[in-house]
PDB file of all heavy atoms in Angstrom:
ATOM      1  N   ARG A  92      -0.711 -14.463   9.626  1.00 98.00           N
ATOM      2  CA  ARG A  92      -1.983 -14.963   9.092  1.00 98.00           C
ATOM      3  C   ARG A  92      -1.841 -15.387   7.631  1.00 98.00           C
ATOM      4  O   ARG A  92      -2.422 -16.401   7.211  1.00 98.00           O
ATOM      5  CB  ARG A  92      -3.061 -13.894   9.240  1.00 98.00           C
ATOM      6  CG  ARG A  92      -3.467 -13.628  10.697  1.00 98.00           C
ATOM      7  CD  ARG A  92      -4.379 -12.415  10.803  1.00 98.00           C
ATOM      8  NE  ARG A  92      -5.548 -12.549   9.942  1.00 98.00           N
ATOM      9  CZ  ARG A  92      -6.298 -11.522   9.562  1.00 98.00           C
ATOM     10  NH1 ARG A  92      -5.987 -10.287   9.944  1.00 98.00           N
ATOM     11  NH2 ARG A  92      -7.353 -11.715   8.793  1.00 98.00           N
ATOM     12  N   ALA A  93      -1.060 -14.625   6.852  1.00 98.00           N
ATOM     13  CA  ALA A  93      -0.845 -14.982   5.446  1.00 98.00           C
ATOM     14  C   ALA A  93      -0.113 -16.313   5.327  1.00 98.00           C
ATOM     15  O   ALA A  93      -0.473 -17.163   4.499  1.00 98.00           O
ATOM     16  CB  ALA A  93      -0.061 -13.875   4.746  1.00 98.00           C
ATOM     17  N   ALA A  94       0.901 -16.501   6.136  1.00 98.00           N
ATOM     18  CA  ALA A  94       1.661 -17.753   6.094  1.00 98.00           C
ATOM     19  C   ALA A  94       0.777 -18.939   6.462  1.00 98.00           C
ATOM     20  O   ALA A  94       0.813 -19.995   5.811  1.00 98.00           O
ATOM     21  CB  ALA A  94       2.864 -17.653   7.026  1.00 98.00           C
ATOM     22  N   ARG A  95      -0.032 -18.777   7.501  1.00 98.00           N
ATOM     23  CA  ARG A  95      -0.914 -19.871   7.923  1.00 98.00           C
ATOM     24  C   ARG A  95      -1.992 -20.153   6.890  1.00 98.00           C
ATOM     25  O   ARG A  95      -2.386 -21.311   6.674  1.00 98.00           O
ATOM     26  CB  ARG A  95      -1.534 -19.532   9.278  1.00 98.00           C
ATOM     27  CG  ARG A  95      -0.522 -19.587  10.424  1.00 98.00           C
ATOM     28  CD  ARG A  95      -1.111 -19.131  11.743  1.00 98.00           C
ATOM     29  NE  ARG A  95      -0.142 -19.284  12.829  1.00 98.00           N
ATOM     30  CZ  ARG A  95      -0.250 -18.702  14.017  1.00 98.00           C
ATOM     31  NH1 ARG A  95      -1.296 -17.910  14.275  1.00 98.00           N
ATOM     32  NH2 ARG A  95       0.669 -18.897  14.946  1.00 98.00           N
ATOM     33  N   LEU A  96      -2.477 -19.107   6.232  1.00 98.00           N
ATOM     34  CA  LEU A  96      -3.482 -19.286   5.186  1.00 98.00           C
ATOM     35  C   LEU A  96      -2.902 -20.078   4.018  1.00 98.00           C
ATOM     36  O   LEU A  96      -3.546 -21.004   3.492  1.00 98.00           O
ATOM     37  CB  LEU A  96      -3.978 -17.915   4.709  1.00 98.00           C
ATOM     38  CG  LEU A  96      -5.060 -17.898   3.637  1.00 98.00           C
ATOM     39  CD1 LEU A  96      -6.338 -18.563   4.143  1.00 98.00           C
ATOM     40  CD2 LEU A  96      -5.358 -16.460   3.203  1.00 98.00           C
ATOM     41  N   LEU A  97      -1.686 -19.734   3.608  1.00 98.00           N
ATOM     42  CA  LEU A  97      -1.039 -20.462   2.511  1.00 98.00           C
ATOM     43  C   LEU A  97      -0.759 -21.902   2.910  1.00 98.00           C
ATOM     44  O   LEU A  97      -0.914 -22.824   2.101  1.00 98.00           O
ATOM     45  CB  LEU A  97       0.260 -19.754   2.120  1.00 98.00           C
ATOM     46  CG  LEU A  97       1.032 -20.354   0.941  1.00 98.00           C
ATOM     47  CD1 LEU A  97       0.208 -20.280  -0.343  1.00 98.00           C
ATOM     48  CD2 LEU A  97       2.365 -19.629   0.743  1.00 98.00           C
ATOM     49  N   GLN A  98      -0.355 -22.102   4.140  1.00 98.00           N
ATOM     50  CA  GLN A  98      -0.107 -23.440   4.667  1.00 98.00           C
ATOM     51  C   GLN A  98      -1.363 -24.304   4.549  1.00 98.00           C
ATOM     52  O   GLN A  98      -1.329 -25.435   4.040  1.00 98.00           O
ATOM     53  CB  GLN A  98       0.292 -23.304   6.141  1.00 98.00           C
ATOM     54  CG  GLN A  98       1.344 -24.239   6.655  1.00 98.00           C
ATOM     55  CD  GLN A  98       1.636 -23.969   8.126  1.00 98.00           C
ATOM     56  OE1 GLN A  98       0.810 -23.438   8.868  1.00 98.00           O
ATOM     57  NE2 GLN A  98       2.826 -24.327   8.543  1.00 98.00           N
ATOM     58  N   ALA A  99      -2.484 -23.755   5.017  1.00 98.00           N
ATOM     59  CA  ALA A  99      -3.738 -24.500   5.006  1.00 98.00           C
ATOM     60  C   ALA A  99      -4.239 -24.746   3.583  1.00 98.00           C
ATOM     61  O   ALA A  99      -4.691 -25.840   3.247  1.00 98.00           O
ATOM     62  CB  ALA A  99      -4.794 -23.747   5.811  1.00 98.00           C
ATOM     63  N   ALA A 100      -4.138 -23.723   2.721  1.00 98.00           N
ATOM     64  CA  ALA A 100      -4.650 -23.845   1.352  1.00 98.00           C
ATOM     65  C   ALA A 100      -3.846 -24.843   0.535  1.00 98.00           C
ATOM     66  O   ALA A 100      -4.386 -25.521  -0.339  1.00 98.00           O
ATOM     67  CB  ALA A 100      -4.633 -22.479   0.672  1.00 98.00           C
ATOM     68  N   SER A 101      -2.558 -24.929   0.818  1.00 97.00           N
ATOM     69  CA  SER A 101      -1.684 -25.828   0.055  1.00 97.00           C
ATOM     70  C   SER A 101      -1.629 -27.227   0.643  1.00 97.00           C
ATOM     71  O   SER A 101      -1.173 -28.175  -0.013  1.00 97.00           O
ATOM     72  CB  SER A 101      -0.267 -25.255   0.000  1.00 97.00           C
ATOM     73  OG  SER A 101       0.311 -25.207   1.300  1.00 97.00           O
ATOM     74  N   GLY A 102      -2.065 -27.357   1.913  1.00 97.00           N
ATOM     75  CA  GLY A 102      -1.977 -28.651   2.571  1.00 97.00           C
ATOM     76  C   GLY A 102      -0.583 -29.012   3.048  1.00 97.00           C
ATOM     77  O   GLY A 102      -0.347 -30.119   3.520  1.00 97.00           O
ATOM     78  N   LYS A 103       0.334 -28.050   2.952  1.00 95.00           N
ATOM     79  CA  LYS A 103       1.724 -28.318   3.358  1.00 95.00           C
ATOM     80  C   LYS A 103       1.920 -27.927   4.821  1.00 95.00           C
ATOM     81  O   LYS A 103       2.641 -26.983   5.154  1.00 95.00           O
ATOM     82  CB  LYS A 103       2.692 -27.563   2.451  1.00 95.00           C
ATOM     83  CG  LYS A 103       2.655 -28.029   1.003  1.00 95.00           C
ATOM     84  CD  LYS A 103       3.949 -27.734   0.281  1.00 95.00           C
ATOM     85  CE  LYS A 103       3.987 -28.432  -1.070  1.00 95.00           C
ATOM     86  NZ  LYS A 103       5.310 -28.393  -1.710  1.00 95.00           N
ATOM     87  N   LEU A 104       1.264 -28.666   5.684  1.00 95.00           N
ATOM     88  CA  LEU A 104       1.281 -28.330   7.104  1.00 95.00           C
ATOM     89  C   LEU A 104       2.589 -28.713   7.776  1.00 95.00           C
ATOM     90  O   LEU A 104       2.845 -28.309   8.911  1.00 95.00           O
ATOM     91  CB  LEU A 104       0.109 -29.024   7.807  1.00 95.00           C
ATOM     92  CG  LEU A 104      -1.287 -28.710   7.244  1.00 95.00           C
ATOM     93  CD1 LEU A 104      -2.354 -29.459   8.023  1.00 95.00           C
ATOM     94  CD2 LEU A 104      -1.554 -27.210   7.260  1.00 95.00           C
ATOM     95  N   GLU A 105       3.417 -29.485   7.069  1.00 96.00           N
ATOM     96  CA  GLU A 105       4.672 -29.925   7.674  1.00 96.00           C
ATOM     97  C   GLU A 105       5.777 -28.882   7.576  1.00 96.00           C
ATOM     98  O   GLU A 105       6.789 -28.965   8.282  1.00 96.00           O
ATOM     99  CB  GLU A 105       5.152 -31.228   7.007  1.00 96.00           C
ATOM    100  CG  GLU A 105       5.734 -31.081   5.604  1.00 96.00           C
ATOM    101  CD  GLU A 105       4.701 -30.867   4.496  1.00 96.00           C
ATOM    102  OE1 GLU A 105       3.486 -30.868   4.823  1.00 96.00           O
ATOM    103  OE2 GLU A 105       5.099 -30.719   3.329  1.00 96.00           O
ATOM    104  N   VAL A 106       5.600 -27.880   6.703  1.00 97.00           N
ATOM    105  CA  VAL A 106       6.623 -26.844   6.573  1.00 97.00           C
ATOM    106  C   VAL A 106       6.160 -25.574   7.270  1.00 97.00           C
ATOM    107  O   VAL A 106       4.963 -25.295   7.372  1.00 97.00           O
ATOM    108  CB  VAL A 106       6.953 -26.531   5.093  1.00 97.00           C
ATOM    109  CG1 VAL A 106       7.639 -27.707   4.425  1.00 97.00           C
ATOM    110  CG2 VAL A 106       5.708 -26.127   4.326  1.00 97.00           C
ATOM    111  N   GLY A 107       7.110 -24.815   7.767  1.00 98.00           N
ATOM    112  CA  GLY A 107       6.807 -23.560   8.428  1.00 98.00           C
ATOM    113  C   GLY A 107       7.834 -22.522   8.036  1.00 98.00           C
ATOM    114  O   GLY A 107       8.551 -22.669   7.043  1.00 98.00           O
ATOM    115  N   ALA A 108       7.926 -21.457   8.835  1.00 98.00           N
ATOM    116  CA  ALA A 108       8.872 -20.398   8.496  1.00 98.00           C
ATOM    117  C   ALA A 108       9.154 -19.529   9.706  1.00 98.00           C
ATOM    118  O   ALA A 108       8.264 -19.284  10.534  1.00 98.00           O
ATOM    119  CB  ALA A 108       8.331 -19.535   7.356  1.00 98.00           C
ATOM    120  N   ASP A 109      10.393 -19.074   9.802  1.00 98.00           N
ATOM    121  CA  ASP A 109      10.760 -17.950  10.659  1.00 98.00           C
ATOM    122  C   ASP A 109      10.674 -16.699   9.793  1.00 98.00           C
ATOM    123  O   ASP A 109      11.251 -16.658   8.694  1.00 98.00           O
ATOM    124  CB  ASP A 109      12.182 -18.102  11.190  1.00 98.00           C
ATOM    125  CG  ASP A 109      12.298 -19.168  12.265  1.00 98.00           C
ATOM    126  OD1 ASP A 109      11.303 -19.443  12.947  1.00 98.00           O
ATOM    127  OD2 ASP A 109      13.396 -19.729  12.415  1.00 98.00           O
TER     128      ASP A 109
END
Side-chain angles (χ1 to χ4, degrees):
R92 291 171 55 199
R95 289 175 176 164
L96 181 62
L97 183 63
Q98 217 179 24
S101 65
K103 295 204 169 191
L104 303 180
E105 74 284 358
V106 292
D109 287 334

